[in-house]
Amino acid sequence: MDELIEKIKKGELKMYELDDFTKDVNKAAEIRRKYLMEIFNIELSKIGEYSIDLNLTYKKNIENAIGCVQIPLGIAGPLLINGEFAKGNFFVPLATTEGALVASVNRGCSILTSSGGVQAKVIDDKMTRAPLFKVSGMKRGLEIIGWIKEHYEDLKEKFQEGSRHLQLKSIKPWLIGTNLWLRIEAETGDAMGMNMVTIASERMARYIIEHNSDLSLVALSGNLCTDKKPGSINWLLGRGKSVIAEAFIERKILENRLKVTPREIVDVNNRKNILASAFAHAYGLNAQIANIVAAIFLATGQDAGQLTESSMGITYAEETGEGLYLSVYLPSLEVGTVGGGTHLPTQREALRLIGCEGGGEKPGNNAKKLAEVIASTCLAGELSLLSALAKNELAKAHEKLGRAKTK
Amino acid sequence: MDELIEKIKKGELKMYELDDFTKDVNKAAEIRRKYLMEIFNIELSKIGEYSIDLNLTYKKNIENAIGCVQIPLGIAGPLLINGEFAKGNFFVPLATTEGALVASVNRGCSILTSSGGVQAKVIDDKMTRAPLFKVSGMKRGLEIIGWIKEHYEDLKEKFQEGSRHLQLKSIKPWLIGTNLWLRIEAETGDAMGMNMVTIASERMARYIIEHNSDLSLVALSGNLCTDKKPGSINWLLGRGKSVIAEAFIERKILENRLKVTPREIVDVNNRKNILASAFAHAYGLNAQIANIVAAIFLATGQDAGQLTESSMGITYAEETGEGLYLSVYLPSLEVGTVGGGTHLPTQREALRLIGCEGGGEKPGNNAKKLAEVIASTCLAGELSLLSALAKNELAKAHEKLGRAKTK
Amino acid sequence: MDELIEKIKKGELKMYELDDFTKDVNKAAEIRRKYLMEIFNIELSKIGEYSIDLNLTYKKNIENAIGCVQIPLGIAGPLLINGEFAKGNFFVPLATTEGALVASVNRGCSILTSSGGVQAKVIDDKMTRAPLFKVSGMKRGLEIIGWIKEHYEDLKEKFQEGSRHLQLKSIKPWLIGTNLWLRIEAETGDAMGMNMVTIASERMARYIIEHNSDLSLVALSGNLCTDKKPGSINWLLGRGKSVIAEAFIERKILENRLKVTPREIVDVNNRKNILASAFAHAYGLNAQIANIVAAIFLATGQDAGQLTESSMGITYAEETGEGLYLSVYLPSLEVGTVGGGTHLPTQREALRLIGCEGGGEKPGNNAKKLAEVIASTCLAGELSLLSALAKNELAKAHEKLGRAKTK
Amino acid sequence: MDELIEKIKKGELKMYELDDFTKDVNKAAEIRRKYLMEIFNIELSKIGEYSIDLNLTYKKNIENAIGCVQIPLGIAGPLLINGEFAKGNFFVPLATTEGALVASVNRGCSILTSSGGVQAKVIDDKMTRAPLFKVSGMKRGLEIIGWIKEHYEDLKEKFQEGSRHLQLKSIKPWLIGTNLWLRIEAETGDAMGMNMVTIASERMARYIIEHNSDLSLVALSGNLCTDKKPGSINWLLGRGKSVIAEAFIERKILENRLKVTPREIVDVNNRKNILASAFAHAYGLNAQIANIVAAIFLATGQDAGQLTESSMGITYAEETGEGLYLSVYLPSLEVGTVGGGTHLPTQREALRLIGCEGGGEKPGNNAKKLAEVIASTCLAGELSLLSALAKNELAKAHEKLGRAKTK
């Protein structure tokens, strides 16, 4: 080992070559750690005390591995979900280091479950990629758009070539100056699908260029996809799963267990989550949806870079005759149960805990189940935090009155 | 243990009570795992094979723990940074499951380091919280705003009470209808500071209400903070660290090692990162900043819920006489080196690797150093992906030409 | 007349009743003026010196008329347009009080015409209205959406009933909580179409409720239309006419007549119009499109309230081998040549000047022609202002150099 | 005259030279009309029947004039306003061609006046211009920002030089890559102030460059101003007048006269104006503010190009013990009572009607009065339209019930 480290020091061997050189990623990681410990004179032992086999990540999940980071995993639940795919009581895995988050969600789960559970449903499903082409101008751009429409079936065939689970749904064009975007939308089974769609989009883009040789591809990802940036295009048109979760909570349950009235929840939601977020021009009319989405993403091996748009969501509250109606809408939840980090041992177990490990009986079912679980858990988080905020107000009022007396 | 599981099954003991009951979070986690394994009849062993002591997370990071999730950790570097606080060659820890990400960043680091490294600097630093008060209307709202200005010094004292590292910087009011927000901005040393500022804001809010008894607090967090939602308020005014990283890359280095010209990079950046993102109305004029921010957040124990706004960023490219000027601007990077998940063993080591474990020599220095490292690494990621996209275009063109010949 | 004024003073007659009472709007206007002059003791004679017959506006354009406001009308041109409907040289009427605007546009027209003129085309055409319904929750909301799809043909028939020029194009649903929006999109011939679509949407909404009696209509205009507010939905999906205008300008012409190079124009456009507007999160990546759209709107009797979204636009500039490529894209230009203020004598003449007075040979042709003229004129305005800004820079640079010498 | 027309036809005289050539703009306009009538063989007589002297517009408002367009002017009122500057009953001039608009506003005025009138106040006042400089990079950019702070008093002096009514309020810098914006904010008395601030900004920009000779000015208007584009920067930070208007309307008045309850108004406002607009990502959480702002802008000679951001506004409604609280907030209302089109005879009379013709007793008072009148009238428009929408719903419900019986 020391010999290899010497070689690295001398520049005769690159650190990233160690995987292939040693034919063992765990070994390579150990050498890298040792090297870093030596040159920086620091201890890095805990990173090395992992329990998953890093060879599983070879050419899949990471390069230049030095070990693993460990993130505490808690559970909230049981949460009763009456979804299309998620049915029954769930204990939801949440990986987080933010104290009180699991407790907060847990409290929401308890109330929702007491109230008959959450209704949840994926209302749209598609992964997107928007290659950006350069055209000579409007005339040619419109011709290409026409050509795309005419050759849609050919393009579909080309796009789906060799991918059983890939289903092209639509191609949406935008033309600005010499820039032509084709936002390609496709279903991708149980995979989140970014890679699948990217590869297929490249195939399609190549085909388009072959038949329209004056075109050139500026970027396979042209940012109207939009991947890993929160924006209106996904907010309005959706990406990944567009999912709704809702519940009706009896007035008594709210008042007895959370010490708030439906009206108080509605008031906080309207002022804080909707009005203030609208004024901040935020892609997020909610209290803490990002917390829950992030914690489940980390637990289940999703792509953390996609938290930006996957965390976009709207919380809506309304007082009804019986109590409170509460719903969340997540337009752009990008999740999968196969591919990416989902196959890693701890992540796989987290998926197993909610019954969506690997591919579904019918392709797509498990990913949709996961999406329903996430949205339902977000609802729990919103209920809990909105109650806490509303109560805080009451507490203050009470305290104020109490103090007033003594003065 | 089986006895306790029985009690849980019977509802005589709550799962979340196990920490206090057993006085050992690891033990409690084991019981919870066993319980879940039994009731769902599944295996959850890998989650239990962690190496950090979960007692460290007690009342700090998680509730209802069942173990840990393990995320592969890779390194990119060396990256030469000439920051105000980050100086020298860095190996940056990236926790991710997205294959090729570390390799991509690594390539960027190599080019940047060859080009003399990255200049980086935190240009603004503040954590914010915006309590939302209900006032009777405009007249009273404006009076309160006036009162706040008059009593700024008192409020500052109240706010900073007992927190050595807390420095109030400003209070920005907005009044819409009966809703009055006070966006409180403060420096928080090496802590990301959300909790610190929340607690201090409550103290300030209480004080304001004590002296203006007709006011009521709708929500301590009024969503003009804005925490965990991407929006214009942080995009324009900043939150956490506002940080810049830039580099000049020689034409030759670009052309020889990345096979692209400065003009090609600029062209892709202008069309994809700026124009397309502007059209998508995205808070992100960049290629993959979210990937890098996410990977370092996970590695170093940051709050993953804050990735939404921390990932907002602008990549700017310009051709110069000598080659390429490239910069990134991250307006709202919320990071700390103490508090949250930063004290956990693996995360701590990741911070140690870049020399910002725990509090800085002067409070705030380590958090700023971390921010500079993140922004610099984002620059590496942008350079690498922009090159890949630009080349892709060239590759296609070449292929097309090649194919044309054979036909 | 004095008698009537007395009655108004005593409250026996309402001012707005005067039209019907006098059966002459001009007379009624005179009485109102007199009344106002008396009670405020002011002179209002100029408002009364109008030359159009206000009876033309009766139950169409205004109530409680007191006369007319006169806005100076200038012309820019000739501007050579090679549109689908606008063909030839145009003198464009601009009603404005902003000095230098007409001159600026005029200069742009001259350059564009010298360069072979402008290509222009309406690429999409639809007016929208989005009634907002209240549903009991997700289940019912999705059922209604399903019902809408199933009954699309019936709804189309109902919608188009009695309106020859109305063509339903699509119904786009969004469901958030108990709120269901149906964004109804339709072609409306030469009319801008807001009223036509509103009336037809009410008919459709009524029909939907008749067949789904648990639904209720919250608002016929549910703000996802979106009328008279600039927002992403029209920016991305279009409203009214989505129109492109572009031109190639020879390098020599630019350099000789505007004293700028293509690169200078491109540089200003990229930095100011695109990057800065993107950072301001503006629905307008341009220099002065609003100026031109406003001036033509006022000249031709369009709805000034719709300037907010009609002025949204993107200016794109690119250096080419021969010189400069410049284009504008207006996604949401809401215009008509019949209805609204277009029939008033002066406005009608302004439309006549550009050959689109009243209905087109084929319904819609004149409105599209007008849209092409507007977009082309915007292009002239952009070229002119971008040049002026770029030159300013040169002037400064020159001055600086000159000064440097003397020091 | 025919002789001149011949010269124009032959290209010996330019149309825009006619003003100087004839020394009479009215004469010049007549010649232009004749020319256009001849070459297009059309009648343009109505445009020529104006009553204002176009010589008033010479080098101020228009070039290449051919006459005037006449827009019907109506009045709504009386509207009782209790503003800081607008006090008493107002008849508000509205220039529009949209039928029912004046009637709708008029109805709102009547209800508001019966309810004790509107409270209104300008809470911020500043015109802005943001020159965009090119710097070599971050280091130099930050130095310049530092230099600006150090030399603020010098810059202020330079900026205000020769303009009695100009008061620099602040300079806000943003640095992205090599782009440095300085958003200059200043009070401009009774003028809307765009020109005043532009000229002064050029003086300041020149001064900055003189003392920092490596800087260059990319564009005097760098689009973070932001002029004539709706965006977050003005939405959050304000431009022109930031103004609030509010009223409390008794339940009885609402129920008797508008046939709606406070709760119905609040419900429509929350769902349509706030939630839907937030989802559309609109800079406008309101029903028809743009209609009213546009109509008063046209009546009083404001810059119609600025309607885009001046129309941004938020309508907030809340049920109170006594009835309804309703408010509007216009963050970016750009108005003046001197300069621009305000001096034209008809526009001047419209200003006179609301008592804000020309400069105020104290500079700025009249412009602020106008702003208060506009915001108050917007409130009337919102109340009226919200009621109409809410009633529509009731009507439908009633009808439905009625029909149900007969079936």
Side-chain angles (χ1 to χ4, degrees), chain C residues 43 46-47 68-73 95-99, chain D residues 25-26 50-62 67-69 73 297-302 337-352 357-358:
Chain C
E43 185 56 44
K46 287 292 173 184
I47 285 171
C68 286
V69 69
Q70 302 194 19
I71 298 178
L73 184 67
T96 184
T97 58
E98 192 192 350
Chain D
V25 182
N26 297 308
Y50 54 88
S51 65
I52 65 175
D53 180 359
L54 281 180
N55 288 310
L56 291 170
T57 67
Y58 182 67
K59 298 217 165 161
K60 269 197 196 145
N61 300 109
I62 197 133
C68 286
V69 69
L73 185 66
F297 262 51
L298 299 193
T300 61
Q302 308 303 316
T337 59
V338 300
T342 62
H343 74 104
L344 295 177
T346 48
Q347 287 80 340
R348 199 172 175 93
E349 285 184 359
L351 285 168
R352 187 183 300 154
E357 184 187 1

Side-chain angles (χ1 to χ4, degrees), chain A residues 308-382:
Chain A
T308 51
E309 64 264 30
S310 293
S311 298
M312 301 193 303
I314 300 177
T315 299
Y316 184 75
E318 191 173 315
E319 194 181 359
T320 66
E322 296 72 32
L324 177 72
Y325 168 82
L326 191 70
S327 79
V328 295
Y329 172 52
L330 277 65
S332 182
L333 183 64
E334 299 155 358
V335 291
T337 59
V338 299
T342 62
H343 73 104
L344 295 177
T346 48
Q347 288 81 340
R348 199 172 175 94
E349 285 185 358
L351 285 167
R352 187 182 300 155
L353 180 60
I354 47 176
C356 37
E357 184 187 1
E361 256 181 68
K362 216 189 114 197
N365 286 11
N366 269 4
K368 284 177 190 154
K369 186 177 184 180
L370 174 58
E372 290 177 355
V373 169
I374 293 175
S376 301
T377 313
C378 286
L379 195 73
E382 290 298 282

Side-chain angles (χ1 to χ4, degrees), chain B residues 115-400:
Chain B
S115 301
V118 180
Q119 314 298 320
K121 196 170 161 56
V122 172
I123 62 166
D124 197 7
D125 179 19
K126 57 179 174 278
M127 182 41 59
T128 66
R129 183 95 281 177
L132 161 54
F133 298 89
K134 182 176 173 177
V135 294
S136 56
M138 174 175 64
K139 184 162 172 286
R140 195 62 189 123
L142 295 175
E143 277 170 14
I144 298 291
I145 292 172
W147 188 91
I148 299 291
K149 277 181 200 155
E150 275 170 43
H151 295 77
Y152 186 82
E153 288 307 319
D154 296 350
L155 290 168
K156 185 171 182 171
E157 198 182 319
K158 203 74 199 165
F159 182 82
Q160 297 180 180
E161 202 173 277
S163 298
R164 260 186 321 134
H165 297 328
L166 201 55
Q167 284 277 341
L168 183 66
K169 290 180 83 170
S170 93
I171 304 176
K172 297 202 167 72
W174 277 278
L175 178 64
I176 299 176
T178 60
N179 302 284
L180 173 64
W181 289 266
L182 301 177
R183 183 170 143 116
I184 300 166
E185 304 182 339
E187 282 190 52
T188 58
D190 283 306
M192 178 270 282
M194 185 72 280
N195 284 349
M196 209 189 286
V197 170
T198 300
I199 291 163
S201 293
E202 188 173 26
R203 215 155 48 221
M204 192 200 279
R206 200 179 287 239
Y207 184 85
I208 293 169
I209 289 173
E210 277 170 18
H211 291 79
N212 299 277
S213 61
D214 57 322
L215 239 69
S216 62
L217 183 65
V218 175
L220 187 56
S221 159
N223 273 25
L224 294 191
C225 315
T226 304
D227 193 45
K228 299 177 180 171
K229 294 112 206 156
S232 278
I233 214 161
N234 295 344
W235 173 258
L236 289 171
L237 304 184
R239 192 175 192 241
K241 272 64 177 159
S242 301
V243 51
I244 295 175
E246 71 179 10
F248 292 86
I249 302 123
E250 272 179 56
R251 186 179 301 273
K252 255 191 217 162
I253 292 180
L254 267 188
E255 292 180 356
N256 291 347
R257 300 207 16 217
L258 293 176
K259 314 297 176 201
V260 290
T261 64
R263 187 161 305 176
E264 284 162 348
I265 297 271
V266 169
D267 194 52
V268 174
N269 193 63
N270 280 345
R271 292 172 186 268
K272 165 197 164 75
N273 283 353
I274 302 187
L275 177 63
S277 292
F279 185 57
H281 221 59
Y283 294 112
L285 312 175
N286 65 70
Q288 64 161 344
I289 282 179
N291 273 335
I292 287 87
V293 176
I296 306 182
F297 262 50
L298 299 193
T300 60
Q302 309 303 317
D303 187 339
Q306 292 182 325
L307 281 170
T308 51
E309 64 264 31
S310 293
S311 297
M312 302 192 304
I314 300 176
T315 299
Y316 184 76
E318 191 173 315
E319 195 180 359
T320 67
E322 296 72 32
L324 176 72
Y325 168 83
L326 190 71
S327 78
V328 296
Y329 172 51
L330 278 65
S332 182
L333 183 64
E334 299 155 359
V335 291
T337 58
V338 300
T342 62
H343 73 103
L344 296 178
T346 48
Q347 288 80 341
R348 199 172 175 94
E349 285 184 358
L351 286 167
R352 188 182 299 154
L353 181 58
I354 47 176
C356 36
E357 184 187 1
E361 255 182 69
K362 214 189 115 199
N365 285 12
N366 270 4
K368 284 178 190 154
K369 185 177 184 181
L370 174 58
E372 290 177 354
V373 169
I374 293 175
S376 301
T377 313
C378 287
L379 195 74
E382 290 299 281
L383 176 59
S384 187
L385 185 45
L386 285 170
S387 305
L389 290 165
K391 258 196 308 188
N392 181 62
E393 161 49 22
L394 296 180
K396 291 287 171 312
H398 187 257
E399 191 177 36
K400 201 172 45 169

Side-chain angles (χ1 to χ4, degrees), chain A residues 13-21 32 63-64, chain B residues 103 106:
Chain A
L13 186 67
K14 299 281 178 195
M15 274 209 278
Y16 63 77
E17 294 170 331
L18 283 168
D19 292 351
D20 288 337
F21 196 86
R32 292 188 191 104
E63 302 83 39
N64 253 355
Chain B
N106 199 45

Side-chain angles (χ1 to χ4, degrees), chain B residues 61-73:
Chain B
N61 298 110
I62 197 135
E63 304 81 39
N64 253 354
I66 60 167
C68 286
V69 69
Q70 302 194 17
I71 298 179
L73 184 67

